């Protein structure tokens, strides 16, 4: 980890923080490599990287892995830095955490480094509260009842048949892992002054494979 952060500093990337869940996923895979002999990212009957990390308890929206055999950590780091794909993984500015495992076997070191961009694990109500908090500074009031927005969230388009007599003037759905800001088109709508109330609903993400963390949200503007 120290060698990786030194390499990242030299390239202008931020340092990585240690992630114990990623380290556990790396440990299990590293032990498998030492057992097998020839190194690989996935062996027969083994889960893929995202599933291994998710099973260990990690939450992320980006994940990648380096594996190697070497006599010592310095030479392993040097090997990764002189391999285009491994270097890009280690220096990727979009990752922010790492879990590393090293197993001594057969007179060498087997190494696995799992890099990821972490994502928060939030409940449905927490997602809705975060999005509502981003909307409130615009002066648009957040409706307490989120049931219609939740129903709209689960649709690809249109509105649920159970919608009441008052129809929203604007509906937006999106899916992200980072809830720190609103989509620009929604920000522009809120800034227009046309709307007085908003309903926020969250539902299960669509098309997310493995253990990647993502959130799907719908906002109805009135």
């Amino acid at each position: 980890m120290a060698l990786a952060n030194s390499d990242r500093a030299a390239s202008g990337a931020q340092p990585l923080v240690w992630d114990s869940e990623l380290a556990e996923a790396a440990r299990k895979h590293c032990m498998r490599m030492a057992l097998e002999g020839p190194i690989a990212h996935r062996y027969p009957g083994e889960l893929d990287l995202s599933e291994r990390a998710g099973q260990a308890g990690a939450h992320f929206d980006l994940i990648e892995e380096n594996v190697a055999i070497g006599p010592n950590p310095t030479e392993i780091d040097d090997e990764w830095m002189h391999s285009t794909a491994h270097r890009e993984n280690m220096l990727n500015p979009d990752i922010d955490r790492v879990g590393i495992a090293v197993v001594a076997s057969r007179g060498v070191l087997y190494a696995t480094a799992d890099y990821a961009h972490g994502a928060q694990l939030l409940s449905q109500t927490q997602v809705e509260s975060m999005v509502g908090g981003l909307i409130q500074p615009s002066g648009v009031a957040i409706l307490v009842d989120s049931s219609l927005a939740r129903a709209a969230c689960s649709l690809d388009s249109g509105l649920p048949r159970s919608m009441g007599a008052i129809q929203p003037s604007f509906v937006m759905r999106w899916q992200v892992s980072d809830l720190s800001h609103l989509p620009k088109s929604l920000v522009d709508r809120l800034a227009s002054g046309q709307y007085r109330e908003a309903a926020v609903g969250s539902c299960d993400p669509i098309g997310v494979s493995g253990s990647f963390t993502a959130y799907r949200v719908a906002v109805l503007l009135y």
Side-chain angles (χ1 to χ4, degrees):
M1 181 176 175
L3 290 166
N5 279 336
S6 177
D7 295 330
R8 287 175 64 84
S11 72
Q14 294 297 309
L16 302 174
V17 298
W18 184 261
D19 187 297
S20 58
E21 286 80 16
L22 289 176
E24 175 61 14
R27 184 188 69 84
K28 289 183 177 179
H29 182 67
C30 205
M31 291 178 68
R32 180 69 183 270
M33 288 201 306
L35 178 67
E36 296 283 349
I39 64 174
H41 287 285
R42 188 179 185 183
Y43 295 101
E46 186 181 31
L47 298 175
D48 69 20
L49 171 60
S50 66
E51 292 171 323
R52 294 197 306 265
Q55 190 177 72
H59 302 288
F60 48 86
D61 54 40
L62 169 66
I63 190 165
E64 50 199 28
E65 181 178 76
N66 282 357
V67 297
I69 296 176
N72 56 63
T74 300
E75 292 200 25
I76 289 172
D77 178 75
D78 188 64
E79 178 183 335
W80 284 342
M81 284 294 288
H82 285 86
S83 164
T84 301
H86 293 88
R87 177 188 174 92
E88 288 177 353
N89 283 348
M90 190 161 60
L91 303 185
N92 187 346
D94 294 329
I95 62 173
D96 60 7
R97 58 197 61 199
V98 66
I100 300 170
V102 179
V103 175
S105 181
R106 297 182 174 88
V108 295
L109 299 179
Y110 288 81
T112 300
D114 289 344
Y115 312 99
H117 180 266
Q120 288 181 286
L121 182 63
L122 302 171
S123 68
Q124 184 179 40
T125 54
Q126 286 175 320
V127 171
E128 292 165 356
S129 178
M130 286 186 68
V131 174
L134 294 172
I135 292 173
Q136 283 181 323
S138 69
V140 174
I142 305 300
L143 297 174
V144 175
D145 186 356
S146 61
S147 58
L148 294 179
R150 288 180 178 181
C153 179
S154 63
L155 301 176
D156 290 329
S157 61
L159 295 169
R161 293 182 179 179
S162 60
M163 291 290 290
I166 301 177
Q167 300 287 306
S169 301
F170 177 76
V171 179
M172 183 165 186
R173 303 171 181 85
W174 73 99
Q175 189 165 302
V176 291
S177 57
D178 180 7
L179 292 171
S180 64
H181 59 276
L182 299 172
K184 184 179 183 305
S185 56
L186 179 57
V187 172
D188 292 342
R189 287 277 181 167
L190 293 170
S192 70
Q194 300 177 50
Y195 309 100
R196 296 291 176 266
E197 296 177 319
V200 180
S202 176
C203 59
D204 291 337
I206 295 174
V208 177
S209 60
S211 300
F212 289 88
T213 301
Y215 305 103
R216 185 171 174 83
V217 185
V219 170
L220 315 181
L221 297 181
Y222 298 87

